Amino acid sequence: MNAVEAKTRWYRMLRRWPPQAVLLVTFASFYFAIGPGNYFAVDEAMEQETAQALILRRTIDIPVMPDARFGRGQTFYTVKGPGLPLVSLPFVYLGLKLDDAIGSMNGGQLAGPPIGVAEHPLRWGGRLAISASLIVNALVGGAIVAVLFMVGTQLSPKPRAVLLMAIAAGLATLVMSEATHFYQHALDALMVILAFWFFSVKNPGELSSSAIFGGLSLGVAILARPDAVPAAVVLWLYGAAVAWKLVRTLDDRWSRMIRRAGLATIGPVGAVAGSMYFNYLRFGSAIQFGYTEDRARFVLDVGQIAKAIGGYLVSPALSIFVFAPPLILALALGRRAYRRWPLETVALLSAATAHLLMISSNKTWGGDLSYGPRYMLEAIVLLMPLTLPAFEMAADFASRRAAIAVAAVVFLGFVVQLIGVAVYVTVNEWDRTAAGIVANNAWVFVPSASPIVYDLRELVAGRNLSPWAIRALSLPDAALFLLIILVVIVWLGSRRILQYWRAPEAQLASRSSRALPIAIVSATVMPILLGFAMARPVIEAPGIHASKLLNAGLAEQRAGHAVAAEESYALVLSLYPSNEFARYDLGVLDQEAGRTNEAMALYAGVLRQDPNFTPAKQNMEYLLQARFGFTNLHRR
C-alpha cells in the first residue's frame, strides 16, 4: 500500500467518525505536538512518580523533592490527590517500557534534557515516562472540546455555532495551554462539564444510566482536585432538578427519584472513600491530608475573598477574561442565554461561582508557578456554553458587528495561548521572586508582572522556548517521525471538521451519541479502580525498605532498566541521604547516559563521605582525564 492509498483509507475511516470523536483526536494530537515533552514544575513530577511507584513497587512513595510530604515509612509522598496519577497509569507504564527499550535517560528530542532541580535525581525531563504521561492531558484537553461540542448541541439548534464555540474553547482559552502540562486542573474541568452533559438527560429511559455516569464523573473530579466539591454539589442538584422535570407526572416518580439520587451519589461517595484510603496509604490516617502548611489552609477573610475575586475577574495577571477572552461574550449576552436556558444557565453560573468562592478562600489563591488562572479552569469550561448566543449570531453572519467581535476575541485568546505554550513558564516565577512581588499574591495586580508580559519578552528574545517540536526540527531523531504523524492527524482532522461545517445536517444523528462520554468515564474510572487495588502501604522499617530498594536498583541496572534503577537509588537517598552506594550507582547511571557533570557531582559526593571509595575515585579520574584530553585536543 503506497502513501496515497494509506491516506485515502485513513480519511475514509475518519469520515465515519462522529464530529465529537474527530474533535477529540484532532485537538489531542495538536496539544501533544505543541507541548514541551517534559515538565515545568515539581507538581507534575510528583504526580507522574506516584503512578510510576505503583507500577514499579505497588507503593506510592516518591523520592524527596520540593513540596513532597514526609509520611508513612519515613519516606515522601505527593501532596496532590490520587485522581491524575491513577488515570495516567497506562501511559506511564507505556513510557517506562519505551525507556527500557530505547535506554532513554538522556532524553532524545521528545523528552529533552534532564532539566529540573539538582535535589531531585530523576529530574523533570530526559525520560519517556514523562513524555508519555503528557499524553493524558492532551487527551483530556481534546475531550473537553468534544464534550463542549456535545453540550452545545443539547442547547442550540445551530450546529455551526456549536462547532465554533467548541473550537474557540480549544484554541482561545486556558484549555489549550493547560492541555500541554501535567496538572490536575484539566481533568477536573473535563469531568465537571461531562457530569453536566450526563445530568442534562432528556429521555426518562436514560435517567438511571445518566445518574451513574454523571455521578462517576463528579467522583473523578473530586479525586483530581478536592476543591471540585462545591461545583459538584451544584451540578448534582441540577441533575436532580432535571430528573424531577422528567418524572414529575409519572406515578412512580418518587421511587425513580430515590433511585436516581442513590445512583448519582455512588461516584462522589466513592471519591471521598478513595481520598481517605489514599491518605491512609501516605500518612497512616484517613483524615490527614497532604496540605498541612499555613500557606495551604483556608481562611474566611472577607477582604481576602474580595481581593481574590477581583484578581480572577479584572486583574491583568489572573483575569479569566484575559486568559479566556471568549468569556467576554458570555458577559455581554448572559441575559439572552438565561432567557433561552434558565435552568442550565443558573446551574453553570452557580457551579462556577461556587468554585470561585472555594478557591478564593485559600490563602494562596493566586497560585504560584502558573500561566494565568489555572485554578479557574473548571469555571472557564463551565461558562463556555453561555457564549453560544454570540457564536450563533456570528456563524450565520446575521450581524457583521457580532462576527467581527467574536473573531476578535477568539483571535486575541489564540495569541495569548500561543504565548503561553511557547515559553518555559518557570521563568515567570524566577523573575517574580527576584522582583520581590511573589508574597501575598501581590504580583496579580501588577500589569508588568503578568505571565503574558514575561512570556512574550522571552519569546521575542528567543529564550526558554519549550515545545519539543523545536528540538525535533533542529536535531532530527525518532521524535521528528512522531511529529510528522501528529501533523498529518491534525491536518486530516481539520479537513473532517471543515466538511462538517459545510454540511452539519448530514451528521445530525451522530451528534447526540452517548458512546464517547461513556467511553471517557470508563477510561478514567477503570485505571483508578486498578490503582487502588494495586496500592499497598510502606510497612517495612526504613532500613529494611532501603535495603530492598538498593537491591532492586542493582537488579534493574543489570537488566538494563536504567530509569527504574535510578528511581530506586533516589528513594534510598531520600531515606538515607549519606548512602554512598546509592549515590555511586546513580553516578554510574549518569555516566553511562553521557551526563558527565551529574556523574562527577555524584562521585564527588561519595568521596566527601568516604575518600577511600575506590570505584568512585577511579571513575572520577577517568572522567577528568577524558575531559582534559578533549580540552587539549580542542586547543591543538
Side-chain angles (χ1 to χ4, degrees), residues 76-129:
F76 292 84
Y77 300 88
T78 178
V79 300
K80 308 297 180 182
L84 186 57
L86 299 185
V87 169
S88 67
L89 281 173
F91 298 92
V92 175
Y93 177 82
L94 170 65
L96 287 170
K97 291 301 179 183
L98 290 173
D99 280 324
D100 289 343
I102 300 174
S104 167
M105 263 187 61
N106 211 20
Q109 301 313 308
L110 176 57
I115 56 178
V117 295
E119 293 82 1
H120 178 208
L122 291 175
R123 304 300 179 93
W124 306 340
R127 296 180 284 136
L128 291 177

Side-chain angles (χ1 to χ4, degrees), residues 167-177 320-328 371 405-421 452:
I167 292 174
L171 295 179
T173 74
L174 211 59
V175 171
M176 177 170 159
S177 57
I320 59 174
F321 300 110
V322 173
F323 289 88
L327 292 185
I328 297 172
Y371 182 74
V406 169
V409 296
V410 171
F411 176 75
L412 175 62
F414 183 58
V415 171
V416 169
Q417 296 311 307
L418 281 181
I419 295 171
V421 300
I452 298 174

Side-chain angles (χ1 to χ4, degrees), residues 145 147-169 193 196-197 326-338 340-341 344-345 348 380-397 402-403 406 409-410 500-501 511:
V145 176
V147 174
L148 281 172
F149 173 82
M150 297 188 71
V151 168
T153 60
Q154 290 182 329
L155 299 176
S156 172
K158 298 185 177 181
R160 288 193 178 94
V162 172
L163 185 64
L164 281 180
M165 181 272 292
I167 292 174
I193 194 64
F196 176 81
W197 185 86
L327 292 185
I328 297 172
L329 303 174
L331 197 65
L333 297 174
R335 293 180 63 182
R336 183 174 298 186
Y338 176 76
R340 292 178 59 184
W341 319 297
E344 289 77 11
T345 301
L348 292 170
I380 290 171
V381 172
L382 286 171
L383 292 173
M384 273 304 297
L386 302 184
T387 64
L388 270 171
F391 284 102
E392 288 175 340
M393 295 170 64
D396 294 338
F397 297 100
V406 169
V409 296
V410 171
Y500 175 76
W501 170 267
R511 286 185 291 148

Side-chain angles (χ1 to χ4, degrees), residues 220-238:
V220 176
I222 293 168
L223 285 173
R225 288 194 62 82
D227 57 19
V229 169
V233 171
V234 172
L235 293 175
W236 191 96
L237 293 173
Y238 162 73

